[in-house]
Amino acid sequence: MFSYSVVGAQLYTGDMLFVMISFLILMYLIKLVAWKPITKMMQNRSDKIANDIDSAKNSRDKAAELAQKRQAELDKTREDASAIMNTAKQNGQKQREQIVEDARNEASNLKSSAEKDIEQQRQEALANSRKDVASLSIEIASKIISKELNEDDQKELVNSYIEGLGKQK
Amino acid sequence: MTIGGSNHTFTFLGLTFNLGNMISILLACLIVLALVYGLSRHITMKPGKAQNVLEYIVDFTNGIVGGSVSGEASRMLGLWGFTLFLFLLVANNMGLFLHIDVSGITYVKSPTSDPVVTMTFSLMTLMLAQYLGVRTLGYKQHFENYLKPFKLFLVVNLFEEFTNFLTLGLRLFGNILSGEMLLTMITGMATGGGPVMWVAMLPLELVWQGFSVFISCIQAYVFVTLSSVYISQKIEIEEV
């Protein structure tokens, strides 16, 4: 059959032309209808995927960096906090000691001044009573014994008496 | 030329046309175009069902072409491989489902069961290979490749070129024709031998049809693969 068509006059040259032209037209139409958009879209998609991978890597790096920074800040903050607490504690300790010291000083001051006052008052009271007793006893003695004594003998007498009182006390 | 009937031919401008072939080719083209058109609606970044199918076919044919042709030429040949594969796939299978004879004259069949059609495709591959060879290597390089490994090989190389042309076309033609021929014979036996024969022939016809579909798909794949191999041979400098 084939040899017949090749050798004989029956080679369908028109068909050959028709096949070629229709194939080329088909190819052109497919290019127009589907090939261009689909290959463009596939290219776009592969580009997008590549971009996405890159940007994902970038964001992951950034996130890691951020986490590291945050961790460092956290550590620093913790250190700061403990330092502040230590100073506060030290300050408190110091203040407490200061207060106690002050109070002690105050107390001892008060005590000493009180002692001094008491001593002074006692001295005054003693002096007063000595004076009073001396004059009183003089009066009494002058009245009772009606014997004249000079004031010096009298004072001596009274002093010895009062001393006796102080010892009894 | 075809089985089971003669052809309706006419002459126009000194060229002989076969009406059956023309109708079949046109039909195949329209089916391919409709298929591709239907699959390529709503092309989006996130593919739908139809787009997935189309992208799978594109990837498949790109894989066939890229398997032998590399680099920039492979991108250029993508559309050619896609169109050729789909056209042959449809054309090879068309005759298995649709075979219209009107009073002994065939009008619709597989266009690839005609040697004129398959040899034309073979010739197109050959011409494309020559054109790309000259384009990538230049005239001098291109024709020097015929003298490798040494000058006497010119005869062998030219003969190889011719046999490539013949085998590429005839392989396809033979496979498709034999499938259709046997189908026609089985159908003839079924319709000519009464109801018992009809029932007996049904599974046979079924099996042969399935086998023919398989062969048709394989042949479409083989044709595109071999074509891209021939082209790749022409656009590379032959190693000595």
Side-chain angles (χ1 to χ4, degrees), chain B residues 80-98:
Chain B
W80 167 79
F82 180 74
T83 314
L84 189 61
F85 178 74
L86 274 189
F87 180 83
L88 288 181
L89 199 69
V90 170
N92 290 352
N93 285 310
M94 221 170 74
L96 300 175
F97 302 107
L98 199 67

Side-chain angles (χ1 to χ4, degrees), chain B:
Chain B
M1 190 62 53
T2 44
I3 349 93
S6 57
N7 297 312
H8 184 281
T9 60
F10 62 94
T11 321
F12 181 68
L13 295 174
L15 301 169
T16 315
F17 289 91
N18 179 349
L19 194 62
N21 273 350
M22 290 173 72
I23 292 173
S24 306
I25 290 160
L26 222 57
L27 197 61
C29 283
L30 284 178
I31 291 173
V32 170
L33 197 61
L35 183 76
V36 170
Y37 184 83
L39 290 178
S40 66
R41 297 306 89 193
H42 313 300
I43 288 178
T44 48
M45 188 66 93
K46 189 164 166 255
K49 273 181 196 162
Q51 197 186 338
N52 261 333
V53 172
L54 188 61
E55 282 186 14
Y56 176 74
I57 301 171
V58 169
D59 273 339
F60 180 69
T61 56
N62 276 350
I64 299 175
V65 175
S68 39
V69 184
S70 57
E72 200 224 348
S74 145
R75 267 205 306 285
M76 258 166 37
L77 288 173
L79 175 61
W80 167 79
F82 180 74
T83 314
L84 189 61
F85 178 74
L86 274 189
F87 180 83
L88 288 181
L89 199 69
V90 170
N92 290 352
N93 285 310
M94 221 170 74
L96 300 175
F97 302 107
L98 199 67
H99 200 123
I100 299 176
D101 290 356
V102 177
S103 59
I105 295 172
T106 310
Y107 285 105
V108 176
K109 53 166 183 121
S110 280
T112 41
S113 68
D114 191 316
V116 172
V117 176
T118 61
M119 293 318 273
T120 307
F121 275 110
S122 181
L123 189 67
M124 284 169 78
T125 297
L126 214 71
M127 292 195 305
L128 190 61
Q130 294 292 323
Y131 167 71
L132 287 176
V134 170
R135 217 184 85 151
T136 42
L137 300 179
Y139 283 102
K140 192 166 171 289
Q141 268 299 349
H142 176 68
F143 290 113
E144 265 178 5
N145 264 348
Y146 283 98
L147 302 176
K148 283 172 182 174
F150 46 86
K151 279 185 182 166
L152 212 63
F153 248 68
L154 175 67
V155 183
V156 177
N157 281 334
L158 283 180
F159 191 71
E160 192 196 342
E161 204 74 31
F162 182 63
T163 52
N164 279 351
F165 163 66
L166 272 187
T167 52
L168 191 62
L170 289 182
R171 181 185 302 108
L172 180 60
F173 154 69
N175 275 289
I176 305 307
L177 180 74
S178 64
E180 283 200 356
M181 192 183 276
L182 209 66
L183 263 187
T184 316
M185 277 170 66
I186 292 170
T187 315
M189 280 163 78
T191 49
V196 178
M197 202 61 170
W198 198 89
V199 170
M201 282 298 139
L202 193 62
L204 198 62
E205 170 110 11
L206 219 68
V207 167
W208 185 250
Q209 206 152 24
F211 186 63
S212 288
V213 168
F214 175 66
I215 293 284
S216 297
C217 298
I218 292 286
Q219 283 308 315
Y221 174 74
V222 164
F223 194 93
V224 178
T225 308
L226 284 179
S227 293
S228 38
V229 167
Y230 294 154
I231 289 174
S232 79
Q233 283 172 352
K234 284 284 163 279
I235 60 175
E236 280 160 14
I237 298 170
E238 214 168 299
E239 301 292 328
V240 182

Side-chain angles (χ1 to χ4, degrees), chain A residues 7-8 36 55 65 96 111 120 145:
Chain A
V7 175
K36 261 192 178 165
S55 70
E65 199 180 308
R96 201 182 62 176
K111 195 177 150 195
Q120 204 176 341
I145 30 183

